[in-house]
Amino acid sequence: MSTLVIVESPTKARTIRNFLPSTYRVEASMGHVRDLPSSAEEIPEAVKGEKWAQLGVNVEADFEPLYVIPKDKKKIVKELKDALKDATELILATDEDREGESISWHLLQILKPKVPIKRMVFHEITREAIRDALTHCRDIDNRVVQAQETRRILDRLVGYTLSPLLWKKIAWGLSAGRVQSVAVRLLVRRERERRAFRQGSYWDLKALLEKGKISFDAKLVTVGNVKVANGSDFDENTGQIIAGRRVLLLNEQQARALLERIQNKPWTVSNLEERPVTRKPSPPFTTSTLQQEANRKLRLGARETMRIAQSLYERGFITYMRTDSVHLSEQAIAAARSCVQELYGSEYLSPQPRKYTTKSKGAQEAHEAIRPAGSTFRTPQQTGLDGIDFRLYDLIWKRTVASQMADSRQTHVTVLTQVEDAGFRSSGKRIDFPGFLRAYVEGSDDPNAALEDQEVILPALKVGDKPNCKDLEAVGHETQPPARYTEASLVKMLESEGVGRPSTYASIIGTIVDRGYAKLIANALIPTFTAFAVTTLLETHFPDLVDTGFTSRMEQTLDEIATGEAKWLPYLQKFYTGETGLATQVKEQENQIDAKVARTVVLENITAKVCIGKYGAYLESENEEGPVKASIPQDLTPADLDPEKVEFLLKQKTEGPEKLGLHPDTGEPIYVLIGSYGPYVQLGDVSETNKKPKRASLPKGTDKDSVTLDMAVSLLTLPRLLGSHPETGAKVQANLGMYGPYVVHDQGKVGKDYRSIKPPDDVLTIELDRALELLSQPKAARGSSKTATPLKELGAHPESGELINVYDGRYGPYVKHGDINASLAKDESVENFTLQKALDLLAAKEAAGGGKSSSKSKKSTKTAAKSETATEKTAAKKTTAKKTTTAAKKTTTKKAATATTAKKTTK
């Protein structure tokens, strides 16, 4: 007797095999095994002539989906069918969310098993959890499957109906998405706010006071009992004080005059207030809050966070990572409280177990928050993890443990000090009992905020005290435009608006960047000109589809379908084919949309047109000779395009580039230009005999106006031949690349050895001896300044014969053998670390499923947000679209075949 267990991924399968008897065979489906067709060639011949075939959804027959097995899954399906032949029982053990339920349902339709079937779910992969899940199997939840199928159909209808419209009216390859387009609009709205922003300036005074040898800061807040203006008093659209505000706006002259007037006058404490504050710990992580914190603290993108979390889950380190719930099981609460007791003491334990409830009405993805797996929590040091795996687990462990810790008790102190008619305020914070802050402090979306709560100690003061003024200065300020969205703040906004599911945010943000709607620069999501054009078109002609309220209501309906409160078919009919349905709107609006207008981005204060072309955004203006077009550099954002930059780009096009001078050797002119990829210098003119003059990009951070003739001449010498390597005779060069200046030892077919050039070394002046010195240094590991030189050599592995060494890593010393890295315990001495200890540590890591760091592991086979990303597969394939269009125009229909192909086995 044998039982076949099917999960999604090989990693999950390997982990679960360890917990099941030998009579169980565990295989992986590699994610979804069936989906709507993603290209014309996947559409069955029997239905290619149908006009709905390109959608993959028969809108004429109750929105019947046309499911196909992709080419890359046919081998997997055959292997699963072969495995089922030898089984006496089938257990579908895919994830417990809607996607997992859907995968199990599709497997059931394809495999058509004749043996007993069970649906097994679990939220962590531990021996105890798997054995328990085996005794509590259930049937497939068809309502959840229907909700996922409706979501999939909705996303296909939106994507495949609107994307072709964008191709025709704006540019080929663009895509629209039910949630994606709303997220893009949020980015564009913020960028519009930045363009509309008008900077305001104000001045105040800052004092350094002293009492009892303790210094503290004080800031000017009033003059003559009138509040002094600060940044919050300014209107962002005018740069002026908000109408009706009774505040005193100081300029530099007034601030310095006030400083002189009170410079040597006595200071007196006029008021003192102490306010006790109690802070409670944040609840354990959900998918959304984990993505936000990992972005703030670890600078991980949403996709990267989910990939690493998926790996940790599949290897048994954490519970399921797609969840809206903040609930902890009794077992998890006990485990967390045990950690607090052991590591911090009973005084840091909350008096009663903390039980968190989920506020979100639609929370349904899993039964628990994201937490360490098991009935006892391994500390981060006990896991054997390293690198970014360790850091993410550490974040999850700390947040979970902190959730069961005592409140933090603080006292906030406010001191008002008077000097003449000027009032100053000092703020302090005293941590009376740190409580949960000993373990964890939540990050902030404010880039200027510290992640750690720190005390600000004020001296013992009372009303009437006269502190000494050690320093007094006038300080100027300028108001700042609204901050761009980071991945963390965008995820937070989407969740707060009820748009999409948290489990799809990573994929959505990735799609926005991949499709060219936004650039991720310094952790900020900056929308492109294309995003402006697409958003304007959708706002004008399909406002509901980019409205957060409308999209949120769609999510609520999908949740209601999952619980049986709403019917899927009437909803789809109203959304797509009703009087105001999407298909009707597209037919009505298509002829009303002027492609030339749609490709034009209107920006305030810019007289030239900004247009979207085949190769990106460009400026278009008229002069006496006719239209003038000039490319907009790719790194120039809509918020930063001002009249001065427009004038320069157009002038460069009409009058030619700015000449620096003549090359001292060739006599050719040298120009400074701005191209699609930023500023560069050029030697000579473009002509029939010199179609591609020599060019060189400016070093990163170098402004075009600071370039001198000598610098340009030097840049045009790049790559510089420094000489020959004394050992190989191969050439050694210095050059500028995508990631900055570097030296390279070029041995032709043997390969190239690179080293970065860091200040104070300069690519334009570095000599051969220094280059050889750099090349002789061990190459730094990517993302780390640590070298590959071992701290200690332990000896050869008894089986492989490979050397086992201890290295210094980003998070401390670790032992390495082949692809397996294992961190040493914090209290472990490198000097006393032996080969036997290393073998034990590596064996434990390998048994736990640890191979290479998950930051280098294969991508998860299950796509969390397939519902939106699959929509875009076709959008970028012009040939596919042409085939589909041709197929749809065939006059012969094969309705009988259609019904047979499209009909599902089980409803």
Side-chain angles (χ1 to χ4, degrees):
M1 180 177 178
S2 65
T3 299
L4 175 63
V5 180
I6 302 180
V7 297
E8 295 97 329
S9 78
T11 303
K12 192 175 176 183
R14 282 195 299 270
T15 308
I16 289 176
R17 282 191 197 110
N18 297 326
F19 306 138
L20 294 175
S22 58
T23 55
Y24 285 74
R25 178 177 176 179
V26 187
E27 297 295 338
S29 71
M30 305 299 287
H32 278 276
V33 291
R34 197 169 70 158
D35 195 12
L36 303 176
S38 62
S39 64
E41 61 187 26
E42 285 189 351
I43 299 173
E45 287 295 332
V47 297
K48 273 194 174 179
E50 301 294 342
K51 61 182 181 181
W52 55 265
Q54 59 183 318
L55 280 175
V57 178
N58 190 347
V59 296
E60 299 170 356
D62 293 342
F63 293 86
E64 197 74 37
L66 175 63
Y67 289 122
V68 298
I69 300 173
K71 280 184 180 179
D72 61 343
K73 292 300 176 72
K74 288 183 178 179
K75 181 181 178 183
I76 294 165
V77 169
K78 183 181 182 304
E79 290 171 352
L80 292 176
K81 285 183 176 180
D82 291 342
L84 186 59
K85 291 176 183 177
D86 301 324
T88 55
E89 182 182 48
L90 173 64
I91 295 180
L92 299 169
T94 52
D95 290 339
E96 60 179 329
D97 60 2
R98 289 177 184 168
E99 287 291 311
E101 205 73 16
S102 176
I103 291 172
S104 283
W105 180 82
H106 280 288
L107 285 167
L108 197 61
Q109 307 310 304
I110 292 173
L111 299 179
K112 297 181 174 59
K114 296 178 181 178
V115 297
I117 305 152
K118 294 179 181 178
R119 172 78 171 104
M120 183 172 82
V121 294
F122 41 85
H123 68 276
E124 62 182 358
I125 304 177
T126 60
R127 185 179 302 277
E128 182 181 8
I130 298 302
R131 293 294 178 90
D132 181 69
L134 275 175
T135 63
H136 294 90
C137 290
R138 59 170 173 79
D139 294 329
I140 289 175
D141 191 331
N142 285 317
R143 291 188 302 187
V144 173
V145 172
Q146 192 68 74
Q148 189 277 339
E149 188 172 64
T150 306
R151 181 187 299 273
R152 184 75 186 93
I153 292 170
L154 266 178
D155 290 333
R156 173 57 68 98
L157 294 176
V158 172
Y160 276 42
T161 303
L162 284 180
S163 296
L165 185 65
L166 298 181
W167 305 342
K168 295 175 187 176
K169 303 300 182 180
I170 298 179
W172 184 261
L174 296 178
S175 66
R178 185 176 59 85
V179 178
Q180 168 198 314
S181 297
V182 177
V184 171
R185 187 192 183 206
L186 289 172
L187 300 182
V188 170
R189 283 172 59 182
R190 180 59 55 85
E191 203 74 358
R192 287 171 179 164
E193 291 170 2
R194 289 175 65 87
R195 281 198 62 82
F197 173 79
R198 296 295 176 265
Q199 194 173 69
S201 62
Y202 61 97
W203 283 72
D204 58 22
L205 303 183
K206 181 181 177 182
L208 180 64
L209 306 180
E210 184 182 58
K211 180 72 167 63
K213 295 186 178 180
I214 298 178
S215 300
F216 60 101
D217 292 329
K219 181 182 176 183
L220 178 69
V221 289
T222 61
V223 176
N225 293 322
V226 177
K227 179 181 177 293
V228 174
N230 59 36
S232 64
D233 295 310
F234 285 82
D235 185 331
E236 294 183 344
N237 297 316
T238 64
Q240 303 299 314
I241 296 295
I242 297 172
R245 290 280 173 93
R246 186 175 176 272
V247 292
L248 175 63
L249 178 60
L250 296 177
N251 58 30
E252 181 177 6
Q253 183 179 359
Q254 292 168 322
R256 296 196 182 283
L258 177 62
L259 184 152
E260 290 297 325
R261 180 161 64 85
I262 65 173
Q263 180 76 61
N264 298 311
K265 297 300 191 315
W267 294 65
T268 305
V269 175
S270 59
N271 191 30
L272 188 147
E273 178 185 342
E274 292 194 355
R275 181 168 55 91
V277 175
T278 301
R279 284 184 56 191
K280 296 182 182 299
S282 300
F285 281 130
T286 62
T287 301
S288 169
T289 54
L290 177 63
Q291 290 174 7
Q292 292 172 50
E293 278 292 83
N295 186 249
R296 295 181 191 124
K297 288 189 172 182
L298 306 181
R299 283 295 181 259
L300 289 176
R303 272 197 296 196
E304 184 75 352
T305 297
M306 293 306 290
R307 187 182 62 76
I308 298 166
Q310 176 107 19
S311 174
L312 291 175
Y313 162 67
E314 291 178 346
R315 290 183 286 156
F317 289 109
I318 64 171
T319 56
Y320 193 52
M321 67 291 157
R322 293 188 182 94
T323 174
D324 292 342
S325 176
V326 292
H327 169 70
L328 288 178
S329 66
E330 295 297 330
Q331 171 186 282
I333 291 174
R337 293 179 72 81
S338 176
C339 285
V340 177
Q341 181 77 42
E342 292 175 14
L343 296 174
Y344 302 105
S346 57
E347 69 272 26
Y348 282 92
L349 198 60
S350 64
Q352 299 296 327
R354 295 186 190 271
K355 296 188 178 182
Y356 297 90
T357 56
T358 305
K359 296 178 182 178
S360 171
K361 177 177 181 277
Q364 46 73 40
E365 298 289 5
H367 302 298
E368 270 201 88
I370 304 170
R371 62 167 177 85
S375 55
T376 58
F377 293 168
R378 286 172 285 183
T379 65
Q381 291 72 29
Q382 291 170 336
T383 60
L385 294 167
D386 59 10
I388 199 62
D389 288 9
F390 176 91
R391 296 178 70 193
L392 192 66
Y393 179 86
D394 182 63
L395 199 65
I396 294 167
W397 183 89
K398 286 177 177 176
R399 176 90 163 212
T400 309
V401 169
S403 73
Q404 294 301 315
M405 293 179 72
D407 294 345
S408 167
R409 299 193 301 275
Q410 306 172 3
T411 299
H412 291 191
V413 183
T414 302
V415 176
L416 297 180
T417 314
Q418 198 73 22
V419 50
E420 294 286 302
D421 62 343
F424 286 73
R425 179 190 291 130
S426 303
S427 298
K429 179 194 294 181
R430 185 173 68 245
I431 297 179
D432 303 310
F433 177 66
F436 72 90
L437 296 178
R438 277 286 304 275
Y440 185 83
V441 183
E442 187 174 24
S444 170
D445 287 323
D446 180 358
N448 297 315
L451 286 177
E452 303 298 330
D453 258 28
Q454 296 182 348
E455 287 189 310
V456 180
I457 300 298
L458 298 179
L461 294 166
K462 61 181 183 297
V463 174
D465 281 351
K466 297 186 179 297
N468 296 322
C469 181
K470 294 181 64 180
D471 188 34
L472 184 63
E473 62 176 329
V475 182
H477 306 273
E478 291 179 334
T479 57
Q480 299 300 312
R484 289 182 171 114
Y485 283 105
T486 62
E487 290 197 38
S489 58
L490 181 60
V491 165
K492 186 175 182 179
M493 173 61 77
L494 289 170
E495 185 179 41
S496 67
E497 294 288 339
V499 175
R501 303 300 312 170
S503 58
T504 67
Y505 293 157
S507 178
I508 288 163
I509 292 173
T511 299
I512 289 170
V513 175
D514 293 345
R515 290 284 170 185
Y517 287 123
K519 293 182 179 180
L520 188 58
I521 301 174
N523 206 39
L525 288 163
I526 305 174
T528 61
F529 291 99
T530 301
F532 269 66
V534 169
T535 296
T536 300
L537 184 150
L538 294 177
E539 284 176 332
T540 304
H541 299 280
F542 308 96
D544 280 350
L545 291 179
V546 287
D547 178 68
T548 53
F550 180 82
T551 309
S552 176
R553 289 191 293 275
M554 291 176 73
E555 292 296 341
Q556 291 175 17
T557 303
L558 290 168
D559 291 337
E560 289 166 1
I561 291 170
T563 59
E565 299 172 60
K567 301 296 182 183
W568 66 276
L569 183 56
Y571 181 70
L572 284 177
Q573 289 171 333
K574 180 181 178 183
F575 173 81
Y576 193 71
T577 56
E579 289 184 12
T580 59
L582 180 60
T584 307
Q585 288 187 54
V586 170
K587 287 178 183 177
E588 292 175 352
Q589 296 289 332
E590 184 168 355
N591 293 331
Q592 298 179 27
I593 301 172
D594 185 323
K596 192 170 184 179
V597 173
R599 294 189 186 106
T600 303
V601 178
V602 178
L603 300 175
E604 303 86 350
N605 302 326
I606 304 296
T607 55
K609 292 180 181 178
V610 177
C611 304
I612 307 299
K614 188 176 181 180
Y615 303 106
Y618 64 92
L619 293 168
E620 184 176 302
S621 183
E622 293 282 343
N623 65 13
E624 295 176 356
E625 298 178 1
V628 179
K629 297 180 181 180
S631 296
I632 298 176
Q634 293 191 5
D635 60 351
L636 190 58
T637 66
D640 299 325
L641 184 65
D642 55 34
E644 290 75 20
K645 292 185 178 71
V646 169
E647 182 183 0
F648 178 85
L649 291 169
L650 292 173
K651 184 178 178 181
Q652 176 178 283
K653 196 73 176 180
T654 56
E655 300 180 11
E658 179 183 342
K659 186 193 292 187
L660 277 175
L662 301 178
H663 194 285
D665 297 332
T666 68
E668 295 175 279
I670 296 178
Y671 302 105
V672 180
L673 302 96
I674 294 182
S676 297
Y677 300 96
Y680 63 94
V681 292
Q682 174 179 302
L683 177 63
D685 296 296
V686 178
S687 65
E688 283 298 319
T689 57
N690 188 25
K691 293 183 178 180
K692 291 186 177 180
K694 185 171 179 59
R695 293 169 177 171
S697 297
L698 301 189
K700 193 173 182 179
T702 303
D703 186 82
K704 68 175 185 62
D705 294 327
S706 66
V707 179
T708 63
L709 180 61
D710 289 342
M711 180 190 293
V713 170
S714 298
L715 287 170
L716 290 165
T717 65
L718 296 177
R720 291 175 57 224
L721 178 62
L722 305 182
S724 300
H725 197 285
E727 296 177 6
T728 65
K731 61 185 179 182
V732 177
Q733 293 178 308
N735 202 359
L736 271 174
M738 183 182 294
Y739 302 106
Y742 64 89
V743 292
V744 57
H745 175 203
D746 186 355
Q747 299 183 68
K749 292 183 179 180
V750 176
K752 297 179 181 181
D753 191 19
Y754 296 88
R755 294 295 184 279
S756 294
I757 298 174
K758 304 291 185 185
D761 291 321
D762 188 328
V763 68
L764 300 179
T765 59
I766 193 169
E767 298 295 338
L768 178 63
D769 289 345
R770 176 55 180 159
L772 293 173
E773 186 180 342
L774 291 176
L775 290 164
S776 69
Q777 297 173 3
K779 187 176 290 187
R782 182 173 293 180
S784 171
S785 61
K786 304 294 182 185
T787 69
T789 304
L791 296 175
K792 185 178 183 180
E793 297 180 356
L794 301 176
H797 193 283
E799 295 177 6
S800 68
E802 292 182 37
L803 287 177
I804 298 177
N805 299 324
V806 179
Y807 295 92
D808 187 13
R810 180 185 254 175
Y811 308 106
Y814 67 95
V815 62
K816 178 178 178 63
H817 173 241
D819 289 339
I820 300 177
N821 298 339
S823 296
L824 275 64
K826 281 193 173 180
D827 56 354
E828 185 71 65
S829 165
V830 174
E831 292 75 17
N832 298 326
F833 196 68
T834 64
L835 177 60
Q836 187 56 51
K837 286 183 179 180
L839 294 173
D840 293 341
L841 192 61
L842 290 163
K845 179 69 178 288
E846 189 169 17
K852 290 183 179 181
S853 169
S854 77
S855 61
K856 297 180 182 179
S857 66
K858 293 181 180 180
K859 290 185 178 179
S860 166
T861 55
K862 176 180 174 185
T863 305
K866 192 167 185 176
S867 56
E868 281 237 294
T869 55
T871 297
E872 284 102 32
K873 287 181 182 177
T874 305
K877 298 181 180 179
K878 185 172 183 179
T879 55
T880 296
K882 285 183 177 179
K883 290 178 184 177
T884 304
T885 304
T886 303
K889 290 180 179 178
K890 290 181 181 177
T891 54
T892 305
T893 59
K894 301 176 182 180
K895 291 187 177 179
T898 300
T900 304
T901 306
K903 190 169 184 180
K904 291 184 293 187
T905 308
T906 303
K907 200 64 177 159

